Amino acid sequence: APLTGLDTWIVWEPVPATGWSLIAAFTKDDAPIDTSVLRRWRIVFGAGLVVFLSTLTALLLNAASGARSRLWLLSAVVSALLVAGIGFTWRAALTFGDADDLSGLIVTDSAGLKSLERTISDRSRQRLTEPPIFVPTGVLIESLRFEGATDVDVRGYVWQRYGLESHADVERGISFAGVAAERIGEPQIERTSDTEILRWPFEVSQRVRFENSKYPLMRERFALRIVPRSPASNVMLVPDLGAYPLLSPTTRPGLDENVYLPGWEITRTFFELRERAAETSFGLENSATRETFPSLYFNIEVRKEFVDTFVSNLVPLIIVVVVVFLVLMIIEREEEQILLMRAGPGFNLSICGTLLFVAVFAHIGARQKIAAQEIIYLEFFYIVIYFTLLWVAIDAILYVRCPNSKFLQYEKNLLPKVLFWPVTLGAIWLVTLVTFY
């Protein structure tokens, strides 16, 4: 769409009686599709394609003949297919996240909001309880910042619009529920002939718990819960939709265009009305004429920037794996070759030990940076590297100590060499499939 720059689907139907056409347009990313199903189908398709092409390559090359050139070509093709399979799975995970687990109703249009208000009012009349007083409330976020691994600092403005007659007896003011700390400034008041608008600057610190198991391919959401100042009132806060030119979540309403969150991409913002059971009466007498209304939430969805994490964490690991492979390639048992290359089992073991320390310290640093309580996806890369180091070290010893082993001695340790990349990448590929399926 020219206005938003987002992919948009347009559906239209001519109305012959009037000569007009009925047109409906909505953003593609906001379509109500179960994205987890699409992600799984793509992952299954990619995995099947990798297995099929790898098997077909092995048959076409007649790898069972054991020719050195054919085995190396098969190893290269399978490794390339596994890399493509990992990248395909990453793309599917980034494009199609888990299905929304929202327990409330996303409010993105005025007609839907009016319908909800009528439903709640009718329910109150049927139950003979006090009808709610709807107060339009808006939010503008001007600053977002992560404090450590568990706190997010949010700054901006929140406003409410009151009718001078319809809200004459309503207590003005808002509060934020479920935050670690909040600071709400003095309101700025603007009045017209029949409306009063109060706008407060605010700063809140909210504790969030991210699901780090898929780090660095993470999609997370946190929300500000806005409540009336008086918990015993029959006031229900609803989003002030008329204050936003665009309401599609992917256009990020309520978020200043200059907001920047280092290391993250802000993908969506939206209002949600969520039913909540009353957890306490706050020491007030229960009234049969009063009920609990849905709470107003302002949701912010973020996605971890993959490139930054890739450069800072995966590039060093790739270098370590390449060096391990080079060590495997120089494993020799002939004395002349050992003297020529200054190589041998002891040399290989020392290189593997050095690389092990590099991987361990990088692993510890990543673990401390993320502060996760579970094993995350990124850690499996380190675990695979530990096993490759162990594999190369054991192979260097057995190649010398087991001169009669057909597997190790075939074409001077050819089979462990050609299997290195397919086995290493295959392990990462399987972990990737299990994590994101």
Side-chain angles (χ1 to χ4, degrees):
L3 182 61
T4 63
L6 302 173
D7 293 335
T8 304
W9 285 338
I10 298 177
V11 181
W12 73 90
E13 181 69 24
V15 182
T18 63
W20 291 68
S21 295
L22 180 64
I23 300 176
F26 56 93
T27 304
K28 181 179 178 181
D29 292 339
D30 294 332
I33 301 174
D34 190 349
T35 54
S36 60
V37 174
L38 293 177
R39 185 188 70 253
R40 290 171 180 171
W41 273 108
R42 285 205 172 193
I43 291 176
V44 170
F45 172 77
L49 193 61
V50 169
V51 173
F52 171 75
L53 293 178
S54 299
T55 305
L56 180 63
T57 302
L59 294 175
L60 293 177
L61 292 177
N62 191 20
S65 64
R68 174 183 287 269
S69 59
R70 295 177 182 268
L71 290 177
W72 276 116
L73 182 58
L74 176 62
S75 176
V77 172
V78 172
S79 299
L81 290 173
L82 290 172
V83 171
I86 294 172
F88 188 83
T89 306
W90 285 350
R91 182 174 179 81
L94 288 172
T95 306
F96 305 103
D98 293 327
D100 288 336
D101 55 353
L102 295 171
S103 57
L105 175 67
I106 298 178
V107 182
T108 58
D109 64 279
S110 300
L113 178 60
K114 293 297 183 183
S115 176
L116 177 63
E117 291 177 355
R118 288 194 298 268
T119 300
I120 295 176
S121 298
D122 293 342
R123 183 180 65 185
S124 298
R125 283 192 291 268
Q126 292 172 2
R127 296 178 179 179
L128 301 178
T129 59
E130 294 182 20
I133 300 175
F134 301 106
V135 177
T137 305
V139 177
L140 176 63
I141 305 298
E142 292 192 326
S143 173
L144 281 174
R145 181 179 60 183
F146 281 119
E147 296 286 349
T150 58
D151 293 338
V152 58
D153 182 76
V154 185
R155 301 182 185 183
Y157 290 91
V158 60
W159 67 88
Q160 290 187 311
R161 182 160 47 86
Y162 297 93
L164 294 180
E165 294 183 2
S166 59
H167 299 115
D169 298 328
V170 176
E171 180 182 1
R172 272 60 167 158
I174 55 95
S175 182
F176 294 93
V179 297
E182 71 172 24
R183 186 180 63 84
I184 301 177
E186 292 297 322
Q188 302 174 10
I189 304 175
E190 297 181 7
R191 291 186 178 90
T192 61
S193 58
D194 59 350
T195 305
E196 181 182 62
I197 299 177
L198 280 74
R199 183 172 65 250
W200 296 268
F202 74 90
E203 178 182 353
V204 299
S205 177
Q206 184 172 10
R207 185 146 294 175
V208 295
R209 187 179 186 274
F210 286 164
E211 180 62 41
N212 292 309
S213 60
K214 296 181 180 180
Y215 183 91
L217 281 75
M218 297 169 55
R219 301 171 67 99
E220 299 293 343
R221 181 179 63 250
F222 55 92
L224 294 175
R225 182 189 174 196
I226 310 171
V227 297
R229 176 172 295 177
S230 175
S233 66
N234 62 330
V235 171
M236 176 179 168
L237 305 185
V238 295
D240 186 13
L241 300 182
Y244 301 99
L246 297 173
L247 297 174
S248 172
T250 49
T251 61
R252 306 189 304 179
L255 190 73
D256 189 275
E257 62 179 7
N258 295 319
V259 172
Y260 172 67
L261 196 58
W264 297 84
E265 177 188 358
I266 304 174
T267 57
R268 299 200 308 169
T269 61
F270 55 89
F271 287 98
E272 175 195 5
L273 289 172
R274 188 185 308 175
E275 295 277 1
R276 287 181 58 93
E279 300 172 352
T280 180
S281 64
F282 298 98
L284 303 173
E285 294 183 2
N286 293 326
S287 174
T289 64
R290 184 168 295 157
E291 59 181 291
T292 303
F293 301 112
S295 296
L296 178 63
Y297 288 79
F298 182 74
N299 290 268
I300 302 173
E301 288 189 357
V302 296
R303 179 173 62 193
K304 188 67 177 176
E305 290 185 352
F306 177 72
V307 175
D308 174 68
T309 306
F310 181 86
V311 172
S312 60
N313 292 286
L314 296 185
V315 169
L317 295 183
I318 294 174
I319 295 175
V320 170
V321 174
V322 171
V323 174
V324 173
F325 176 69
L326 295 178
V327 171
L328 179 63
M329 291 296 294
I330 63 174
I331 291 178
E332 294 288 347
R333 62 189 307 269
E334 288 81 0
E335 293 184 1
E336 293 183 0
Q337 293 291 336
I338 292 175
L339 292 176
L340 179 64
M341 302 183 64
R342 301 295 191 267
F347 171 79
N348 296 333
L349 289 177
S350 64
I351 295 297
C352 289
T354 302
L355 295 176
L356 176 62
F357 278 106
V358 173
V360 167
F361 283 115
H363 188 179
I364 294 174
R367 186 77 182 182
Q368 292 176 344
K369 178 181 178 181
I370 301 167
Q373 298 179 353
E374 67 273 9
I375 297 179
I376 62 177
Y377 170 65
L378 179 64
E379 287 187 275
F380 285 104
F381 286 77
Y382 293 95
I383 294 174
V384 170
I385 287 179
Y386 297 153
F387 279 101
T388 58
L389 289 169
L390 182 62
W391 172 10
V392 173
I394 294 177
D395 179 70
I397 296 174
L398 294 181
Y399 180 62
V400 175
R401 300 298 299 273
C402 302
N404 298 322
S405 173
K406 294 182 179 180
F407 178 81
L408 297 175
Q409 303 301 328
Y410 179 77
E411 291 286 340
K412 296 183 179 180
N413 205 35
L414 175 64
L415 296 181
K417 296 176 182 177
V418 298
L419 288 174
F420 179 86
W421 286 113
V423 172
T424 301
L425 294 172
I428 296 176
W429 178 61
L430 291 176
V431 169
T432 303
L433 293 179
V434 173
T435 301
F436 297 104
Y437 178 74

